[in-house]
Amino acid sequence: MIIKASEVAVNNPILSISLRCPGCLQQGVFWAIPKSSDLVITSETPYVIAGIRRCPNPQCWAVVFFFSNPEGKLLTTYPPESIDLDLTNIPNNVRDAIEEAVKCHAIQCYTAAAIMVRKTLEELCRDRGANGKNLKERIKDLGTKIVLPTELLEGLDDLRLLGNDAAHIESQEFNKIGKDEVEVGIEFAKEILKAVYQYSALLNRLRSLKKTDVNP
């Protein structure tokens, strides 16, 4: 049974929710839309509160549907909250792969997300001309074509193994392919993409701000 929240006793009414907006990708506190009512789903134990909230960014104002428990902990939102992702200067094929990984993670398709993290590595190797008969060899060759901190270079093969576990039953390098494993994998992939594609652009922006008429 679904009834208006105002018709039942709610100890902690959910006035606002905090999340990263699926529209503008900014973290914010979402408040209720004027004249809208939350619903309480009393068929669930404990009951579940459902409602709509609006992004506080006036340039966005995306509408989000949510479900929460009585204590205000979010159970799910639609559109789902996703990991933040900066796609500046990332080539199309690489961008599409990491973006799909993030979207799969947001809807809790963790195996698919891990496979797309692996595909991100495939596309990175292709973009940088890394050669080899398999991804392991191409990753090794990639280390000769790009400059990365040692930890990121070593972690490339761990990302490959994460994708292998997701794609192949016989591969069991990780205990499971779940939320935590995929989140760390995506964050690690993001750092690799930053180092390969974005740091140089950021440096150029910084240098462009320097005075040009200063005598040596």
Side-chain angles (χ1 to χ4, degrees), residues 154-205:
E154 293 177 350
L156 284 170
D157 200 56
D158 290 298
L159 287 186
R160 177 187 67 84
L161 294 174
L162 179 69
N164 283 357
D165 279 13
H168 306 296
I169 296 176
E170 66 273 12
S171 181
Q172 295 182 351
E173 296 291 337
F174 289 83
N175 291 328
K176 64 176 182 176
I177 303 299
K179 181 175 184 292
D180 292 340
E181 290 78 10
V182 174
E183 280 186 4
V184 174
I186 290 175
E187 291 296 338
F188 201 92
K190 284 169 51 180
E191 293 304 313
I192 292 169
L193 298 183
K194 285 180 186 178
V196 175
Y197 297 111
Q198 296 175 334
Y199 286 161
S200 59
L202 186 60
L203 176 59
N204 290 336
R205 286 179 57 194

Side-chain angles (χ1 to χ4, degrees), residues 212-216:
T212 58
D213 58 351
V214 177
N215 294 324

Side-chain angles (χ1 to χ4, degrees), residues 133-169:
K133 65 181 181 181
N134 54 43
L135 182 56
K136 183 174 182 178
E137 291 189 3
R138 290 193 290 274
I139 286 175
K140 184 177 179 180
D141 188 49
L142 181 67
T144 68
K145 300 179 182 299
I146 60 177
V147 178
L148 288 177
T150 302
E151 292 80 4
L152 291 184
L153 280 173
E154 293 177 350
L156 284 170
D157 200 56
D158 290 298
L159 287 186
R160 177 187 67 84
L161 294 174
L162 179 69
N164 283 357
D165 279 13
H168 306 296
I169 296 176

